[in-house]
Amino acid sequence: MNKDQVQGSAKQVAGKVQQKAGEVANSKEQQIKGAAKQIDGSVQKSYGDAKEALKDR
């Protein structure tokens, strides 16, 4: 597991928490920011997965 995989997963979790907090607080802005953070984390984790797959070759 590399740095990008760990950081990407952490961003996904943080984004999910932020999105849910936005729902509870009825804040569309926080919901959108949370969703964007989840996407950013997903992209970073996928990049880390790809790096790891190439390293294993």
Side-chain angles (χ1 to χ4, degrees):
M1 190 164 243
N2 61 41
K3 175 181 86 168
D4 289 307
Q5 289 172 311
V6 173
Q7 288 178 344
S9 293
K11 281 183 186 176
Q12 286 177 313
V13 171
K16 191 166 291 219
V17 169
Q18 185 175 11
Q19 185 179 13
K20 289 295 180 187
E23 289 174 11
V24 170
N26 201 22
S27 170
K28 287 287 184 198
E29 180 182 359
Q30 290 303 314
Q31 290 176 29
I32 292 167
K33 285 182 179 181
K37 191 178 286 188
Q38 287 179 65
I39 292 167
D40 184 37
S42 179
V43 169
Q44 186 173 7
K45 184 179 181 305
S46 295
Y47 173 70
D49 291 344
K51 279 183 13 183
E52 199 70 24
L54 289 174
K55 184 176 85 173
D56 290 340
R57 285 187 169 197

